Amino acid sequence: MSAVDSETRQSRIVEFARTRGRVEVQPLAEELAVASETIRRDLKVLAGRRLLKRVHGGAVPLETAVFESTVEYRSQVDLAQKHRIAGAAADLLHGAETVYLDEGFTPRLIAEKISGRELTVVTSSLLAAEALAHSDTVTVLLLGGRMRGRTLATVDHWAVERLRTLVIDVAYLGTNGITVEHGLTTPDPAVAAVKQTAVAVADRRILVAAHSKFGQTSFCRFADVSDFASIVTGSELAATEAHRYEALGPNVIRV
């Protein structure tokens, strides 16, 4: 095939991955009428361009400055691991009275775990607020601002300015990517601004991140690894990899 054909095919593969959440080599080969080896080469190229991540038998989309997965997608990926992470993270309150819950599916799971505690919860996430709406013991302060439909969370100056006036005991934060070299990153500058503010106003910061987020980088950096007291992730993250992050300061809990 010509270079143009190759580029078009690879663009379609990325589109399929983003729409479907995952693509497999053999079905792609049949759908695009090419050899399996051609698809494998395409996936290697796309992984090198940081558009896809290779997994056994295929690939999944990586989040970039122009693509971010939806809440629906996140609620289906690494689900058992995220439930374990949320449970372990909720156990790290240690007497906190004020809590910040980030946007994302795992923070929503944490909201469910802490709904019976005596707390004031500040959040940018409509999902987290909904999970706490009927709690008799939690006071919920929902940050205003522009709502992002992809994550059902608020951003921009209304959210940032209000959050900046608070002092939070514990902030539970998620990330789209974390590396030793670049710290914590996310695709959207507006989201990064809210996360960065939460890091600044919290006395103690806890990162909740599935193992698939490690070794990934996105567009906007919002924190250093050393900003966190604890990182809660799945046992799927290799112990040797966890030790690399622990060397920077936080306690890495694999559950």
Side-chain angles (χ1 to χ4, degrees):
M1 285 194 173
S2 66
V4 172
D5 289 332
S6 176
E7 183 176 338
T8 300
R9 185 179 62 249
Q10 290 170 10
S11 294
R12 291 187 67 189
I13 291 172
V14 172
E15 181 183 351
F16 290 157
R18 291 176 174 177
T19 302
R20 303 168 185 174
R22 179 186 175 107
V23 289
E24 304 285 345
V25 171
Q26 193 56 45
L28 276 179
E30 295 173 3
E31 189 169 359
L32 298 175
V34 295
S36 297
E37 189 54 41
T38 300
I39 296 297
R40 291 190 182 93
R41 285 197 297 268
D42 287 338
L43 295 183
K44 183 177 180 180
V45 169
L46 294 169
R49 290 166 56 191
R50 302 193 62 78
L51 294 171
L52 299 180
K53 178 183 179 181
R54 293 298 306 273
V55 296
H56 182 70
V60 296
L62 277 179
E63 300 192 342
T64 68
V66 296
F67 170 73
E68 187 178 4
S69 61
T70 63
V71 170
E72 291 80 6
Y73 174 76
R74 297 181 195 187
S75 68
Q76 300 170 32
V77 177
D78 298 324
L79 186 55
Q81 181 182 169
K82 288 175 180 176
H83 275 282
R84 299 196 308 269
I85 290 170
D91 289 338
L92 297 177
L93 276 174
H94 299 335
E97 296 180 353
T98 55
V99 173
Y100 176 76
L101 288 178
D102 199 7
E103 66 169 51
F105 187 69
T106 304
R108 185 200 186 283
L109 295 178
I110 295 173
E112 294 176 354
K113 304 288 186 184
I114 65 175
S115 62
R117 313 281 184 95
E118 290 276 355
L119 295 168
T120 295
V121 171
V122 180
T123 185
S124 61
S125 169
L126 273 68
L127 291 174
E130 180 188 34
L132 295 167
H134 300 293
S135 172
D136 294 325
T137 57
V138 178
T139 299
V140 181
L141 302 180
L142 180 60
L143 297 174
R146 174 174 61 89
M147 188 187 77
R148 301 177 70 241
R150 189 163 285 273
T151 60
L152 297 180
T154 56
V155 293
D156 291 342
H157 70 278
W158 280 327
V160 171
E161 291 303 319
R162 185 65 181 124
L163 184 54
R164 188 173 288 152
T165 66
L166 305 176
V167 178
I168 304 292
D169 293 334
V170 175
Y172 290 105
L173 291 150
T175 187
N176 296 80
I178 174 174
T179 66
V180 167
E181 298 80 11
H182 299 295
L184 285 75
T185 51
T186 193
D188 191 315
V191 175
V194 176
K195 290 176 181 285
Q196 192 171 41
T197 304
V199 169
V201 302
D203 288 335
R204 183 161 52 95
R205 296 158 290 272
I206 298 170
L207 176 68
V208 290
H211 76 289
S212 56
K213 303 297 185 182
F214 289 78
Q216 306 301 327
T217 57
S218 193
F219 181 50
C220 301
R221 178 174 176 166
F222 65 88
D224 294 323
V225 175
S226 59
D227 289 328
F228 289 82
S230 302
I231 295 175
V232 187
T233 187
S235 56
E236 292 85 347
L237 183 72
T240 53
E241 188 71 359
H243 292 155
R244 295 179 65 229
Y245 291 91
E246 278 193 323
L248 298 177
N251 178 32
V252 179
I253 301 168
R254 297 161 60 243
V255 295

